[in-house]
Amino acid sequence: MSGDGLEAARPLPWAAVDGRRAFVIADPARPGPVSRRAAVLESAQLEMAGLLLGHARQLVDEAGPEELRYLVVELTRALADTLRIAWRAEP
């Protein structure tokens, strides 16, 4: 708990066992191991989204239907991750 007694529910970048959003209650001033692990995973997800976007830009004019379908699936996953991270960052 922080000095002012405020704790925050931090959404995690993975789902709970039942598929719903997962959260951890944490002091933003002193993140614990779960919050730190979530931050590392979010950073990796954002990096992957950037790499995927670069790959998409290269493939868009030359890829066949199967490659484009796979790319759409991966871009959709990356966009969902990015939106989840952005939602957490809202004030």
Coordinates of all heavy atoms in Angstrom, one line a residue:
M1 N 0.8 -1.2 0.0 CA 0.0 0.0 0.0 C 0.9 1.2 0.0 O 1.9 1.3 0.6 CB -0.9 0.0 1.2 CG -2.0 1.0 1.1 SD -3.2 1.0 2.4 CE -3.5 -0.7 2.9
S2 N 0.5 2.3 -0.7 CA 1.3 3.5 -0.8 C 1.1 4.3 0.5 O 0.2 4.0 1.3 CB 0.9 4.3 -2.0 OG -0.4 4.8 -1.9
G3 N 1.9 5.3 0.6 CA 1.8 6.2 1.8 C 0.5 6.8 2.0 O 0.0 7.1 3.1
D4 N -0.2 7.1 0.8 CA -1.5 7.8 0.9 C -2.6 6.7 1.0 O -3.8 7.1 1.1 CB -1.8 8.7 -0.2 CG -1.7 8.0 -1.6 OD1 -1.6 6.8 -1.6 OD2 -1.6 8.8 -2.6
G5 N -2.3 5.5 1.0 CA -3.3 4.4 1.1 C -4.1 4.1 -0.1 O -5.0 3.3 -0.1
L6 N -3.6 4.6 -1.3 CA -4.3 4.4 -2.5 C -3.7 3.2 -3.2 O -2.5 3.1 -3.4 CB -4.3 5.6 -3.4 CG -5.0 6.8 -2.9 CD1 -4.7 8.0 -3.9 CD2 -6.4 6.6 -2.7
E7 N -4.6 2.3 -3.7 CA -4.1 1.2 -4.5 C -5.0 1.2 -5.8 O -6.0 1.8 -5.8 CB -4.3 -0.2 -3.8 CG -3.5 -0.3 -2.6 CD -3.6 -1.6 -1.9 OE1 -4.7 -2.3 -2.1 OE2 -2.8 -2.0 -1.1
A8 N -4.4 0.6 -6.8 CA -5.1 0.6 -8.1 C -5.3 -0.8 -8.7 O -4.4 -1.6 -8.5 CB -4.4 1.5 -9.1
A9 N -6.4 -1.0 -9.4 CA -6.5 -2.3 -10.1 C -5.9 -2.1 -11.4 O -6.3 -1.3 -12.3 CB -8.0 -2.6 -10.2
R10 N -4.8 -2.9 -11.6 CA -4.0 -2.8 -12.9 C -4.5 -4.0 -13.8 O -4.3 -5.2 -13.4 CB -2.6 -3.0 -12.6 CG -1.7 -2.8 -13.8 CD -0.3 -3.5 -13.5 NE 0.7 -3.1 -14.4 CZ 0.8 -3.5 -15.7 NH1 -0.1 -4.3 -16.2 NH2 1.8 -3.1 -16.4
P11 N -5.0 -3.7 -15.0 CA -5.3 -4.8 -15.9 C -4.1 -5.5 -16.3 O -3.0 -4.9 -16.5 CB -6.0 -4.1 -17.0 CG -5.9 -2.7 -16.8 CD -5.3 -2.4 -15.5
L12 N -4.1 -6.8 -16.4 CA -3.0 -7.6 -16.9 C -3.1 -7.9 -18.3 O -4.2 -8.0 -18.9 CB -2.9 -8.9 -16.0 CG -2.7 -8.6 -14.5 CD1 -2.8 -9.9 -13.8 CD2 -1.4 -8.0 -14.3
P13 N -2.0 -8.1 -19.0 CA -2.0 -8.4 -20.4 C -2.3 -9.9 -20.8 O -1.9 -10.4 -21.8 CB -0.6 -8.0 -20.9 CG 0.2 -8.1 -19.7 CD -0.6 -7.9 -18.5
W14 N -2.9 -10.6 -19.8 CA -3.3 -12.0 -20.1 C -4.7 -12.2 -19.4 O -5.1 -11.4 -18.6 CB -2.3 -13.0 -19.5 CG -2.0 -12.8 -18.1 CD1 -2.7 -13.2 -17.0 CD2 -0.8 -12.1 -17.5 NE1 -2.1 -12.9 -15.8 CE2 -1.0 -12.2 -16.1 CE3 0.3 -11.5 -18.1 CZ2 0.0 -11.6 -15.3 CZ3 1.2 -10.9 -17.2 CH2 1.1 -11.0 -15.8
A15 N -5.4 -13.2 -19.9 CA -6.7 -13.4 -19.4 C -6.7 -14.3 -18.2 O -5.7 -15.1 -17.9 CB -7.6 -14.1 -20.5
A16 N -7.7 -14.2 -17.4 CA -7.9 -15.1 -16.2 C -8.2 -16.5 -16.8 O -8.5 -16.7 -18.0 CB -9.0 -14.7 -15.3
V17 N -8.2 -17.5 -15.9 CA -8.5 -18.9 -16.3 C -9.8 -19.0 -17.0 O -9.9 -19.8 -18.0 CB -8.5 -19.8 -15.1 CG1 -8.8 -21.2 -15.4 CG2 -7.1 -19.8 -14.4
D18 N -10.8 -18.3 -16.6 CA -12.2 -18.3 -17.2 C -12.3 -17.5 -18.5 O -13.4 -17.4 -19.1 CB -13.2 -18.0 -16.2 CG -13.1 -16.6 -15.7 OD1 -12.2 -15.8 -16.2 OD2 -13.9 -16.2 -14.8
G19 N -11.2 -16.8 -18.9 CA -11.2 -16.1 -20.2 C -11.5 -14.6 -20.0 O -11.4 -13.8 -20.9
R20 N -11.9 -14.2 -18.8 CA -12.2 -12.8 -18.5 C -10.9 -12.0 -18.3 O -9.9 -12.6 -18.0 CB -13.1 -12.7 -17.3 CG -14.5 -13.3 -17.6 CD -15.5 -13.0 -16.4 NE -14.9 -13.6 -15.2 CZ -15.4 -13.4 -14.0 NH1 -16.5 -12.7 -13.8 NH2 -14.9 -13.9 -12.9
R21 N -11.0 -10.7 -18.3 CA -9.9 -9.8 -18.0 C -9.3 -10.1 -16.6 O -10.1 -10.4 -15.7 CB -10.3 -8.3 -18.0 CG -10.9 -7.9 -19.3 CD -10.0 -7.1 -20.2 NE -8.7 -6.6 -19.8 CZ -8.3 -5.4 -19.9 NH1 -9.0 -4.5 -20.5 NH2 -7.1 -5.0 -19.5
A22 N -8.1 -10.1 -16.5 CA -7.4 -10.3 -15.2 C -6.8 -9.0 -14.7 O -6.4 -8.1 -15.5 CB -6.3 -11.3 -15.4
F23 N -6.9 -8.8 -13.4 CA -6.4 -7.6 -12.7 C -5.5 -8.0 -11.5 O -5.7 -9.1 -10.9 CB -7.5 -6.7 -12.2 CG -8.4 -6.2 -13.3 CD1 -9.4 -7.0 -13.8 CD2 -8.2 -5.0 -13.9 CE1 -10.3 -6.5 -14.9 CE2 -9.0 -4.5 -14.9 CZ -10.0 -5.2 -15.4
V24 N -4.6 -7.1 -11.1 CA -3.9 -7.2 -9.9 C -4.1 -5.9 -9.1 O -4.1 -4.8 -9.8 CB -2.4 -7.5 -10.1 CG1 -1.7 -6.4 -10.8 CG2 -1.7 -7.9 -8.8
I25 N -4.3 -6.0 -7.9 CA -4.4 -4.8 -7.0 C -3.0 -4.4 -6.6 O -2.3 -5.2 -6.0 CB -5.3 -5.0 -5.8 CG1 -6.7 -5.5 -6.2 CG2 -5.4 -3.7 -4.9 CD1 -7.4 -4.5 -7.1
A26 N -2.5 -3.2 -7.0 CA -1.1 -2.9 -6.7 C -1.0 -1.4 -6.4 O -1.8 -0.6 -6.8 CB -0.3 -3.2 -7.9
D27 N 0.1 -1.1 -5.7 CA 0.4 0.3 -5.4 C 1.3 0.8 -6.6 O 2.4 0.2 -6.8 CB 1.3 0.3 -4.1 CG 1.7 1.7 -3.7 OD1 1.6 2.6 -4.5 OD2 2.2 1.8 -2.6
P28 N 0.8 1.7 -7.4 CA 1.5 2.2 -8.5 C 2.9 2.7 -8.2 O 3.8 2.6 -9.0 CB 0.7 3.3 -9.1 CG -0.7 3.1 -8.5 CD -0.5 2.4 -7.2
A29 N 3.1 3.2 -7.0 CA 4.4 3.7 -6.6 C 5.4 2.6 -6.3 O 6.6 2.8 -6.3 CB 4.3 4.6 -5.4
R30 N 4.9 1.4 -6.0 CA 5.8 0.3 -5.7 C 5.2 -1.0 -6.3 O 4.7 -1.9 -5.6 CB 5.9 0.1 -4.1 CG 6.5 1.2 -3.4 CD 6.7 1.0 -2.0 NE 5.9 -0.1 -1.4 CZ 5.9 -0.5 -0.2 NH1 6.6 0.2 0.7 NH2 5.2 -1.5 0.2
P31 N 5.4 -1.1 -7.6 CA 4.9 -2.3 -8.3 C 5.5 -3.6 -7.8 O 6.7 -3.6 -7.6 CB 5.2 -2.0 -9.8 CG 6.3 -1.0 -9.8 CD 6.2 -0.3 -8.5
G32 N 4.7 -4.6 -7.7 CA 5.2 -5.9 -7.3 C 5.6 -6.8 -8.4 O 5.6 -6.3 -9.6
P33 N 5.9 -8.0 -8.2 CA 6.4 -8.9 -9.3 C 5.4 -9.1 -10.4 O 5.8 -9.2 -11.6 CB 6.8 -10.2 -8.6 CG 6.1 -10.1 -7.2 CD 5.9 -8.7 -6.9
V34 N 4.1 -9.2 -10.1 CA 3.1 -9.4 -11.1 C 3.0 -8.2 -12.0 O 3.0 -8.3 -13.2 CB 1.7 -9.8 -10.5 CG1 0.7 -9.9 -11.6 CG2 1.8 -11.1 -9.7
S35 N 3.0 -7.0 -11.4 CA 2.9 -5.8 -12.2 C 4.2 -5.6 -13.1 O 4.1 -5.2 -14.2 CB 2.8 -4.6 -11.3 OG 1.5 -4.6 -10.7
R36 N 5.3 -6.0 -12.5 CA 6.6 -5.8 -13.3 C 6.6 -6.8 -14.5 O 7.0 -6.5 -15.6 CB 7.8 -6.1 -12.4 CG 8.0 -4.9 -11.5 CD 9.4 -4.9 -10.8 NE 9.6 -6.2 -10.0 CZ 9.3 -6.3 -8.7 NH1 8.7 -5.3 -8.1 NH2 9.5 -7.4 -8.1
R37 N 6.1 -8.0 -14.2 CA 6.0 -9.0 -15.3 C 5.0 -8.6 -16.4 O 5.3 -8.7 -17.6 CB 5.6 -10.4 -14.7 CG 5.3 -11.5 -15.7 CD 6.6 -11.9 -16.3 NE 6.3 -13.0 -17.3 CZ 6.9 -13.1 -18.5 NH1 7.7 -12.2 -18.9 NH2 6.6 -14.0 -19.3
A38 N 3.9 -8.0 -16.0 CA 3.0 -7.5 -16.9 C 3.6 -6.4 -17.8 O 3.4 -6.3 -19.0 CB 1.7 -6.9 -16.2
A39 N 4.4 -5.5 -17.2 CA 5.0 -4.4 -17.9 C 6.0 -5.0 -18.9 O 6.1 -4.5 -20.1 CB 5.8 -3.5 -16.9
V40 N 6.7 -6.0 -18.6 CA 7.7 -6.6 -19.5 C 6.9 -7.3 -20.7 O 7.3 -7.1 -21.9 CB 8.5 -7.7 -18.8 CG1 9.3 -8.6 -19.8 CG2 9.5 -7.1 -17.8
L41 N 5.8 -7.9 -20.4 CA 5.0 -8.6 -21.5 C 4.4 -7.5 -22.4 O 4.4 -7.6 -23.6 CB 3.9 -9.5 -20.9 CG 3.1 -10.2 -21.8 CD1 3.9 -11.1 -22.8 CD2 2.1 -11.1 -21.1
E42 N 3.9 -6.4 -21.8 CA 3.3 -5.3 -22.6 C 4.3 -4.7 -23.5 O 4.1 -4.4 -24.7 CB 2.7 -4.3 -21.7 CG 1.4 -4.7 -21.0 CD 0.9 -3.8 -20.0 OE1 1.7 -2.9 -19.5 OE2 -0.2 -3.9 -19.6
S43 N 5.5 -4.6 -23.0 CA 6.6 -4.0 -23.8 C 6.9 -4.9 -25.0 O 7.1 -4.5 -26.2 CB 7.9 -3.8 -23.0 OG 8.9 -3.4 -23.8
A44 N 6.9 -6.2 -24.8 CA 7.2 -7.2 -25.8 C 6.0 -7.2 -26.8 O 6.2 -7.3 -28.0 CB 7.3 -8.6 -25.2
Q45 N 4.8 -7.1 -26.3 CA 3.6 -7.0 -27.2 C 3.7 -5.8 -28.1 O 3.4 -5.9 -29.3 CB 2.3 -7.0 -26.4 CG 2.0 -8.4 -25.8 CD 0.9 -8.3 -24.8 OE1 0.6 -7.3 -24.2 NE2 0.1 -9.4 -24.7
L46 N 4.1 -4.6 -27.6 CA 4.2 -3.4 -28.4 C 5.3 -3.6 -29.4 O 5.1 -3.1 -30.6 CB 4.4 -2.2 -27.5 CG 3.2 -1.8 -26.7 CD1 3.5 -0.7 -25.7 CD2 2.0 -1.4 -27.6
E47 N 6.4 -4.1 -29.0 CA 7.5 -4.4 -30.0 C 7.0 -5.3 -31.1 O 7.3 -5.0 -32.3 CB 8.7 -4.9 -29.3 CG 9.9 -5.1 -30.2 CD 11.1 -5.7 -29.4 OE1 11.1 -5.7 -28.2 OE2 12.1 -6.1 -30.1
M48 N 6.3 -6.4 -30.8 CA 5.8 -7.3 -31.8 C 4.9 -6.6 -32.7 O 4.9 -6.9 -33.9 CB 5.2 -8.5 -31.1 CG 4.6 -9.5 -32.1 SD 5.9 -10.2 -33.2 CE 6.7 -11.2 -32.1
A49 N 4.0 -5.7 -32.2 CA 3.1 -5.0 -33.0 C 3.8 -4.2 -34.1 O 3.4 -4.1 -35.2 CB 2.1 -4.2 -32.2
G50 N 4.9 -3.5 -33.6 CA 5.7 -2.7 -34.5 C 6.3 -3.5 -35.6 O 6.4 -3.1 -36.8
L51 N 6.9 -4.6 -35.2 CA 7.5 -5.5 -36.2 C 6.5 -6.1 -37.2 O 6.8 -6.1 -38.4 CB 8.2 -6.7 -35.5 CG 9.5 -6.3 -34.7 CD1 9.9 -7.6 -33.9 CD2 10.6 -5.8 -35.6
L52 N 5.4 -6.4 -36.7 CA 4.3 -6.9 -37.6 C 3.8 -5.9 -38.5 O 3.6 -6.2 -39.7 CB 3.1 -7.4 -36.7 CG 2.3 -8.6 -37.1 CD1 3.1 -9.8 -37.5 CD2 1.3 -8.9 -36.0
L53 N 3.7 -4.7 -38.1 CA 3.3 -3.6 -39.0 C 4.3 -3.4 -40.1 O 3.9 -3.2 -41.3 CB 3.1 -2.3 -38.2 CG 2.6 -1.1 -39.0 CD1 1.3 -1.4 -39.7 CD2 2.5 0.1 -38.1
G54 N 5.6 -3.4 -39.8 CA 6.6 -3.3 -40.8 C 6.5 -4.5 -41.8 O 6.6 -4.2 -43.0
H55 N 6.3 -5.7 -41.3 CA 6.1 -6.8 -42.2 C 4.9 -6.7 -43.1 O 5.0 -7.0 -44.3 CB 6.0 -8.1 -41.3 CG 6.1 -9.4 -42.1 ND1 7.1 -9.8 -42.8 CD2 5.1 -10.3 -42.2 CE1 6.9 -10.9 -43.4 NE2 5.7 -11.3 -43.0
A56 N 3.8 -6.2 -42.5 CA 2.6 -6.0 -43.3 C 2.8 -5.0 -44.4 O 2.4 -5.2 -45.5 CB 1.5 -5.5 -42.4
R57 N 3.5 -3.9 -44.1 CA 3.8 -2.9 -45.2 C 4.6 -3.5 -46.3 O 4.4 -3.2 -47.5 CB 4.6 -1.7 -44.6 CG 3.7 -0.9 -43.7 CD 4.4 0.3 -43.1 NE 3.5 1.2 -42.4 CZ 3.8 1.8 -41.3 NH1 5.0 1.7 -40.8 NH2 2.9 2.6 -40.7
Q58 N 5.5 -4.5 -46.0 CA 6.3 -5.1 -47.1 C 5.4 -6.1 -47.9 O 5.6 -6.2 -49.1 CB 7.5 -5.8 -46.5 CG 8.5 -4.9 -45.9 CD 9.7 -5.7 -45.3 OE1 9.5 -6.9 -45.0 NE2 10.8 -5.0 -45.0
L59 N 4.6 -6.8 -47.2 CA 3.8 -7.9 -47.9 C 2.5 -7.4 -48.6 O 2.1 -8.1 -49.5 CB 3.4 -8.9 -46.8 CG 4.4 -9.9 -46.4 CD1 3.8 -10.9 -45.4 CD2 5.0 -10.7 -47.5
V60 N 2.0 -6.3 -48.3 CA 0.7 -5.9 -48.7 C 0.5 -6.0 -50.2 O -0.5 -6.3 -50.7 CB 0.3 -4.5 -48.1 CG1 1.0 -3.4 -48.8 CG2 -1.2 -4.4 -48.2
D61 N 1.6 -5.6 -51.0 CA 1.4 -5.6 -52.4 C 1.9 -6.9 -53.1 O 1.6 -7.2 -54.3 CB 2.3 -4.5 -53.0 CG 1.7 -3.1 -52.7 OD1 0.5 -3.0 -52.6 OD2 2.5 -2.2 -52.6
E62 N 2.5 -7.8 -52.4 CA 3.1 -9.0 -53.0 C 2.6 -10.3 -52.4 O 2.9 -11.4 -53.0 CB 4.6 -9.0 -53.0 CG 5.1 -8.9 -51.6 CD 6.6 -8.5 -51.6 OE1 7.0 -7.5 -52.2 OE2 7.4 -9.3 -50.9
A63 N 1.8 -10.3 -51.3 CA 1.4 -11.6 -50.7 C 0.2 -12.2 -51.3 O -0.6 -11.5 -51.9 CB 1.1 -11.3 -49.2
G64 N 0.1 -13.5 -51.2 CA -1.1 -14.2 -51.7 C -2.1 -14.2 -50.6 O -1.9 -13.8 -49.5
P65 N -3.3 -14.8 -51.0 CA -4.4 -14.8 -50.0 C -4.1 -15.5 -48.7 O -4.6 -15.0 -47.7 CB -5.5 -15.6 -50.8 CG -5.1 -15.6 -52.2 CD -3.6 -15.4 -52.3
E66 N -3.4 -16.6 -48.7 CA -3.1 -17.3 -47.4 C -2.2 -16.5 -46.6 O -2.4 -16.4 -45.4 CB -2.5 -18.7 -47.7 CG -3.5 -19.7 -48.3 CD -4.6 -19.9 -47.4 OE1 -4.4 -20.1 -46.1 OE2 -5.8 -20.0 -47.8
E67 N -1.2 -15.9 -47.2 CA -0.3 -15.0 -46.4 C -1.0 -13.8 -45.8 O -0.8 -13.4 -44.7 CB 0.9 -14.5 -47.3 CG 1.8 -15.7 -47.7 CD 2.8 -15.2 -48.7 OE1 2.4 -14.6 -49.7 OE2 4.0 -15.3 -48.5
L68 N -1.9 -13.2 -46.6 CA -2.6 -12.1 -46.1 C -3.6 -12.5 -45.0 O -3.8 -11.7 -44.1 CB -3.4 -11.4 -47.3 CG -2.5 -10.7 -48.3 CD1 -3.3 -10.1 -49.4 CD2 -1.8 -9.5 -47.6
R69 N -4.2 -13.6 -45.1 CA -5.1 -14.1 -44.1 C -4.4 -14.3 -42.8 O -4.8 -13.8 -41.7 CB -5.8 -15.4 -44.5 CG -6.9 -15.9 -43.5 CD -7.6 -17.1 -44.0 NE -8.4 -16.8 -45.2 CZ -8.1 -17.3 -46.5 NH1 -7.2 -18.2 -46.6 NH2 -8.8 -17.0 -47.5
Y70 N -3.2 -14.9 -42.8 CA -2.4 -15.1 -41.6 C -2.0 -13.7 -41.1 O -2.0 -13.5 -39.8 CB -1.1 -15.9 -42.0 CG -0.2 -16.0 -40.8 CD1 -0.5 -16.9 -39.8 CD2 1.0 -15.3 -40.7 CE1 0.4 -17.0 -38.7 CE2 1.8 -15.4 -39.7 CZ 1.5 -16.3 -38.6 OH 2.4 -16.4 -37.6
L71 N -1.6 -12.8 -41.9 CA -1.2 -11.5 -41.5 C -2.3 -10.7 -40.8 O -2.2 -10.1 -39.8 CB -0.7 -10.7 -42.7 CG -0.1 -9.3 -42.4 CD1 1.1 -9.4 -41.5 CD2 0.3 -8.6 -43.8
V72 N -3.5 -10.9 -41.4 CA -4.7 -10.2 -40.7 C -5.0 -10.8 -39.3 O -5.2 -10.0 -38.4 CB -6.0 -10.4 -41.6 CG1 -7.2 -10.0 -40.9 CG2 -5.8 -9.5 -42.9
V73 N -4.8 -12.1 -39.2 CA -5.0 -12.7 -37.9 C -4.0 -12.2 -36.9 O -4.3 -11.8 -35.8 CB -4.9 -14.3 -38.0 CG1 -4.8 -14.9 -36.6 CG2 -6.1 -14.8 -38.7
E74 N -2.8 -12.1 -37.3 CA -1.7 -11.6 -36.4 C -1.8 -10.1 -36.1 O -1.6 -9.7 -35.0 CB -0.3 -12.0 -36.9 CG 0.0 -13.4 -37.0 CD -0.2 -14.1 -35.6 OE1 0.4 -13.6 -34.6 OE2 -0.8 -15.2 -35.5
L75 N -2.2 -9.4 -37.1 CA -2.4 -7.9 -36.9 C -3.6 -7.7 -36.0 O -3.5 -6.8 -35.1 CB -2.6 -7.2 -38.2 CG -1.3 -7.0 -39.0 CD1 -1.7 -6.4 -40.4 CD2 -0.4 -6.0 -38.3
T76 N -4.6 -8.5 -36.1 CA -5.8 -8.3 -35.2 C -5.4 -8.6 -33.8 O -5.8 -7.9 -32.8 CB -6.9 -9.3 -35.7 OG1 -7.3 -9.0 -37.0 CG2 -8.1 -9.2 -34.8
R77 N -4.6 -9.7 -33.6 CA -4.1 -10.0 -32.2 C -3.3 -8.9 -31.7 O -3.4 -8.5 -30.5 CB -3.3 -11.3 -32.3 CG -2.9 -11.8 -30.9 CD -2.2 -13.1 -31.0 NE -3.2 -14.1 -31.4 CZ -2.9 -15.1 -32.4 NH1 -1.7 -15.1 -32.9 NH2 -3.8 -15.9 -32.7
A78 N -2.3 -8.3 -32.5 CA -1.5 -7.3 -32.0 C -2.3 -6.0 -31.7 O -2.0 -5.3 -30.7 CB -0.4 -7.0 -33.1
L79 N -3.3 -5.7 -32.5 CA -4.1 -4.5 -32.3 C -4.9 -4.7 -31.0 O -5.0 -3.7 -30.2 CB -5.1 -4.3 -33.4 CG -6.0 -3.1 -33.3 CD1 -5.2 -1.8 -33.1 CD2 -6.9 -2.9 -34.5
A80 N -5.4 -5.9 -30.7 CA -6.1 -6.1 -29.5 C -5.2 -5.9 -28.3 O -5.6 -5.3 -27.3 CB -6.7 -7.5 -29.5
D81 N -4.0 -6.4 -28.4 CA -3.0 -6.2 -27.3 C -2.7 -4.8 -27.1 O -2.6 -4.3 -25.9 CB -1.7 -7.0 -27.6 CG -1.8 -8.5 -27.5 OD1 -2.8 -9.0 -26.9 OD2 -0.9 -9.2 -28.1
T82 N -2.5 -4.0 -28.2 CA -2.1 -2.6 -28.1 C -3.3 -1.8 -27.5 O -3.0 -0.9 -26.6 CB -1.8 -2.1 -29.5 OG1 -0.7 -2.9 -30.0 CG2 -1.4 -0.6 -29.5
L83 N -4.5 -2.1 -27.9 CA -5.7 -1.4 -27.3 C -5.8 -1.7 -25.8 O -6.1 -0.9 -25.0 CB -6.9 -1.8 -28.0 CG -7.1 -1.2 -29.4 CD1 -8.3 -1.8 -30.1 CD2 -7.1 0.3 -29.4
R84 N -5.5 -3.0 -25.4 CA -5.6 -3.3 -24.0 C -4.5 -2.5 -23.2 O -4.8 -2.0 -22.1 CB -5.4 -4.8 -23.8 CG -5.5 -5.2 -22.4 CD -5.4 -6.8 -22.1 NE -4.5 -7.5 -23.0 CZ -5.0 -8.3 -24.0 NH1 -6.3 -8.4 -24.3 NH2 -4.1 -8.9 -24.8
I85 N -3.4 -2.3 -23.8 CA -2.3 -1.6 -23.1 C -2.7 -0.1 -23.1 O -2.5 0.6 -22.0 CB -1.0 -1.8 -23.8 CG1 -0.5 -3.2 -23.7 CG2 0.1 -0.8 -23.3 CD1 0.6 -3.6 -24.6
A86 N -3.2 0.4 -24.2 CA -3.6 1.8 -24.2 C -4.8 2.1 -23.2 O -4.8 3.1 -22.6 CB -4.1 2.2 -25.6
W87 N -5.7 1.1 -23.1 CA -6.8 1.3 -22.1 C -6.2 1.5 -20.7 O -6.7 2.3 -20.0 CB -7.7 0.1 -22.2 CG -8.8 0.2 -21.2 CD1 -10.0 0.9 -21.3 CD2 -8.9 -0.6 -20.0 NE1 -10.8 0.7 -20.2 CE2 -10.1 -0.2 -19.4 CE3 -8.1 -1.5 -19.4 CZ2 -10.6 -0.8 -18.2 CZ3 -8.5 -2.0 -18.2 CH2 -9.7 -1.7 -17.6
R88 N -5.2 0.7 -20.4 CA -4.6 0.8 -19.1 C -3.9 2.2 -18.9 O -3.9 2.7 -17.8 CB -3.6 -0.3 -18.9 CG -2.9 -0.3 -17.5 CD -1.9 -1.4 -17.4 NE -0.6 -1.1 -18.0 CZ 0.3 -0.3 -17.4 NH1 0.0 0.3 -16.3 NH2 1.4 0.0 -18.0
A89 N -3.4 2.7 -20.0 CA -2.7 4.0 -19.8 C -3.6 5.2 -19.8 O -3.1 6.3 -19.5 CB -1.7 4.1 -21.0
E90 N -4.9 5.1 -20.0 CA -5.8 6.2 -19.9 C -5.8 6.8 -18.5 O -5.7 6.0 -17.5 CB -7.2 5.8 -20.3 CG -7.4 5.5 -21.8 CD -8.8 5.1 -22.1 OE1 -9.7 5.2 -21.2 OE2 -9.0 4.7 -23.3
P91 N -5.9 8.1 -18.4 CA -5.9 8.7 -17.1 C -7.2 8.4 -16.3 O -8.2 8.0 -16.8 CB -5.8 10.2 -17.3 CG -6.0 10.4 -18.8 CD -5.9 9.1 -19.5

